Amino acid sequence: MDDRSGGDGSFVAVRRISQGFDRSNTCQTSSAEVVAGSAAWLGRGLSCVCAQSTEDDSRQSFDLTPVQEDCLVRLQNRLDVAYDSSIPEHQESLRALWKAAYPEEELHGLITEQWKEMGWQGTDPSTDFRGGGFISLENLLYFARNFPKSFQDLLWKQEGDRSMWEYPFAVAGVNITFMLIQMLDLEAVKPRTLVGATFLKFLSENESAFDLLYCITFKLMDHQWLAMRASYMDFNAVMKSTRHQLERELLEENITRLEDLPSYALLAR
């Protein structure tokens, strides 16, 4: 995508986002960075949104059943796996993601300009996985395999009246993984929010619940993006709105499984 320049050429297109986020919750995005168009705000700014909470986490704790505790530990083990480009399984997963996204286009290497087509910041997607780990790649691959139509619709921005300056598909996907980890408080020994405790009930009944919720969230985020008539400078606000909507849906009384969430209806296989 070409640069979008003002009088001084300061703004860059969304596909040229710089480093992804890290999980240290650093909330130090400066207005100068946004004005300069470095787009670093997309990663670091998001952690500020995700860290916000309407509940007092320090005063809450929810006990787990043995099954829920076991499921949480297995999910946390997935969260601990960093993407490693030297591991064959990780290489194959990355190739599989490309093939799912572009079945008719041959991938010329794990480091290639082609990756920018999917919305990675550069020629090597591994640099964008540092914040989300290997699970962020697994999430994207699960989405591509289980909801191929929705995956392709988002990849190609095929629905709605869209902005000229869109969010980058792949980097947005890693941001969603990171947001869900924070929202559900998955790195805690036991959940400290009602949303996190509710999710663990779903996880104990469906071990793919995190991957499924990821797909729902990605589709919901795009739905919010269109409803807000957003452009790339609005990404943080869209993510915040998406999180709040998802929290509300998870806490509805009639929700007994993720497929009952109103936003699940947005997904198409």
Side-chain angles (χ1 to χ4, degrees):
M1 187 180 289
D2 297 330
D3 289 2
R4 181 180 73 167
S5 300
D8 61 357
S10 61
F11 284 89
V12 294
V14 64
R15 289 190 183 277
R16 296 181 59 186
I17 288 170
S18 64
Q19 295 296 338
F21 48 82
D22 63 41
R23 289 161 71 174
S24 61
N25 289 343
T26 302
C27 299
Q28 298 178 346
T29 303
S30 70
S31 59
E33 287 174 329
V34 175
V35 172
S38 71
W41 56 271
L42 184 58
R44 294 201 296 272
L46 175 61
S47 63
C48 296
V49 170
C50 294
Q52 294 173 354
S53 175
T54 58
E55 301 179 69
D56 185 355
D57 291 353
S58 65
R59 296 186 180 181
Q60 298 192 65
S61 180
F62 295 84
D63 292 330
L64 304 178
T65 68
V67 172
Q68 290 171 349
E69 185 174 350
D70 185 54
C71 289
L72 176 59
V73 169
R74 288 201 298 272
L75 180 54
Q76 288 173 333
N77 288 339
R78 290 179 64 193
L79 301 183
D80 287 340
V81 179
Y83 179 84
D84 187 340
S85 58
S86 68
I87 298 177
E89 178 191 354
H90 293 196
Q91 296 175 7
E92 288 309 308
S93 293
L94 193 55
R95 291 190 182 95
L97 178 63
W98 178 269
K99 187 168 183 60
Y102 307 105
E104 305 300 324
E105 184 178 348
E106 181 182 355
L107 180 65
H108 301 313
L110 295 182
I111 300 178
T112 170
E113 291 285 333
Q114 289 174 285
W115 287 112
K116 295 181 182 180
E117 298 176 30
M118 195 183 294
W120 299 105
Q121 66 153 356
T123 60
D124 184 2
S126 67
T127 62
D128 291 319
F129 285 130
R130 284 180 293 188
F134 183 55
I135 194 171
S136 57
L137 173 54
E138 291 181 310
N139 289 157
L140 279 166
L141 195 52
Y142 180 93
F143 191 12
R145 287 171 170 170
N146 290 274
F147 300 95
K149 184 181 186 304
S150 286
F151 180 89
Q152 290 291 330
D153 285 347
L154 297 184
L155 174 65
W156 294 102
K157 307 293 193 299
Q158 291 179 333
E159 295 182 346
D161 183 14
R162 312 200 72 95
S163 166
M164 182 180 296
W165 304 101
E166 285 286 310
Y167 63 85
F169 174 78
V171 173
V174 179
N175 273 283
I176 288 169
T177 297
F178 181 64
M179 183 268 281
L180 288 175
I181 292 170
Q182 287 199 318
M183 185 189 84
L184 301 173
D185 202 21
L186 292 178
E187 294 179 314
V189 174
K190 59 175 64 177
R192 294 169 293 183
T193 65
L194 184 55
V195 169
T198 299
F199 170 74
L200 287 181
K201 294 179 182 178
F202 300 143
L203 183 66
S204 65
E205 297 172 359
N206 178 3
E207 200 157 1
S208 298
F210 184 78
D211 302 272
L212 178 56
L213 186 60
Y214 170 90
C215 300
I216 295 169
T217 306
F218 209 144
K219 191 67 175 178
L220 174 60
M221 185 278 291
D222 189 74
H223 182 74
Q224 299 282 76
W225 177 274
L226 293 173
M228 295 170 65
R229 297 183 176 274
S231 188
Y232 79 98
M233 292 296 286
D234 304 311
F235 184 83
N236 217 27
V238 173
M239 287 293 290
K240 184 175 182 179
S241 175
T242 300
R243 171 173 174 162
H244 289 168
Q245 177 62 28
L246 195 62
E247 288 174 329
R248 285 193 294 269
E249 292 189 13
L250 284 167
L251 295 180
E252 289 184 10
E253 291 184 2
N254 61 334
I255 303 300
T256 60
R257 56 183 190 141
L258 291 178
E259 289 85 350
D260 296 330
L261 295 175
S263 292
Y264 178 81
L266 297 171
L267 280 172
R269 295 181 185 273

